[in-house]
Amino acid sequence: DQQVKQNSPSLSVQEGRISILNCDYTNSMFDYFLWYKKYPAEGPTFLISISSIKDKNEDGRFTVFLNKSAKHLSLHIVPSQPGDSAVYFCAATLTYTGTASKLTFGTGTRLQVTL
Amino acid sequence: DAGVIQSPRHEVTEMGQEVTLRCKPISGHDYLFWYRQTMMRGLELLIYFNNNVPIDDSGMPEDRFSAKMPNASFSTLKIQPSEPRDSAVYFCASSFIQGQNEQFFGPGTRLTVL
């Protein structure tokens, strides 16, 4: 049972435009969400995160939006750059358990930014 | 710091053989995670350790899989016997603050079982 879903396996966006990557989750207990970026032949690297007490978090060109009622989050990249071409993973976790952060990942979305 | 180190980077083996994947976490990190990446299921957590002790191995698919962490700077993931469906990229990750959530990943080991 996939608790974190990224229904778009791929996305193509023109350079300079906005990229919007979507993620849905089913476990309403998740209270912290992260986005990771992965280049070929490398491990994922942390990009941005958001706590469930917020509905938006911004870091430069990257903004994550959280809609708890819809159990949906999105990552906006604006403007998109060719170097943003990568696979993006959404992840979710429960932080109140007092134990280590066990992340549940989605299947990823491959973003291609074209010139 | 060199980051999380994994070896080998690529492994090709035949069905039935034993495979051992290795990981050196970032110095000072006290959590270590093993993940498997496949197209169908994305990144799946297999097992994680805290201070060298296995905390949750519920993601380990079968008894053929085992993981150890004999000390703070080394962990292994072993598959015995290996099967073609084990072909995937295996990642090791580490973190150092409980609740901080950010995990640092190694480059992965691409395993192919023929």
Side-chain angles (χ1 to χ4, degrees):
Chain A
D1 178 33
Q2 199 77 16
Q3 294 190 69
V4 178
K5 301 176 183 179
Q6 294 176 257
N7 293 318
S8 297
S10 63
L11 175 68
S12 183
V13 172
Q14 212 167 20
E15 182 182 11
R17 308 293 281 263
I18 184 171
S19 295
I20 300 176
L21 295 93
N22 294 303
C23 177
D24 297 294
Y25 60 96
T26 57
N27 187 343
S28 58
M29 303 299 287
F30 286 142
D31 61 352
Y32 199 84
F33 305 88
L34 306 89
W35 285 93
Y36 278 77
K37 177 179 179 179
K38 183 186 179 304
Y39 292 118
E42 295 182 11
T45 55
F46 171 74
L47 186 59
I48 192 169
S49 61
I50 187 168
S51 165
S52 60
I53 63 174
K54 296 184 176 181
D55 54 17
K56 176 183 175 181
N57 188 27
E58 192 172 353
D59 184 1
R61 296 186 297 113
F62 302 91
T63 303
V64 57
F65 295 92
L66 176 63
N67 182 334
K68 290 186 291 294
S69 61
K71 297 193 186 68
H72 176 84
L73 64 156
S74 60
L75 174 68
H76 292 212
I77 306 173
V78 57
S80 301
Q81 299 174 354
D84 296 329
S85 297
V87 177
Y88 290 80
F89 289 97
C90 169
T93 188
L94 297 83
T95 60
Y96 66 89
T97 60
T99 61
S101 305
K102 180 177 174 178
L103 298 179
T104 301
F105 282 87
T107 53
T109 296
R110 182 177 301 278
L111 172 66
Q112 183 175 9
V113 179
T114 59
L115 297 173
Chain B
D1 198 316
V4 175
I5 298 172
Q6 291 187 247
S7 64
R9 293 295 309 274
H10 302 273
E11 176 79 34
V12 180
T13 190
E14 292 188 346
M15 182 173 64
Q17 296 298 306
E18 178 180 297
V19 174
T20 299
L21 311 181
R22 296 173 176 79
C23 175
K24 175 178 168 48
I26 293 173
S27 178
H29 284 193
D30 50 9
Y31 288 93
L32 184 139
F33 306 82
W34 281 101
Y35 289 90
R36 178 171 68 176
Q37 183 192 3
T38 61
M39 289 294 292
M40 292 300 295
R41 301 182 65 84
L43 277 162
E44 298 175 276
L45 177 66
L46 301 177
I47 185 172
Y48 77 92
F49 296 82
N50 176 215
N51 291 325
N52 315 336
V53 176
I55 302 300
D56 185 345
D57 65 355
S58 59
M60 296 286 261
E62 299 171 35
D63 291 345
R64 299 183 295 107
F65 286 70
S66 62
K68 293 182 180 179
M69 192 166 185
N71 57 63
S73 59
F74 184 65
S75 177
T76 60
L77 177 68
K78 185 175 292 187
I79 308 172
Q80 166 62 19
S82 58
E83 296 183 3
R85 60 192 167 121
D86 301 331
S87 298
V89 181
Y90 291 80
F91 289 101
C92 175
S94 68
S95 68
F96 71 103
I97 295 179
Q98 180 177 318
Q100 183 184 8
N101 301 302
E102 181 182 347
Q103 296 175 14
F104 296 81
F105 283 76
T109 295
R110 180 173 293 278
L111 173 64
T112 303
V113 183
L114 303 174

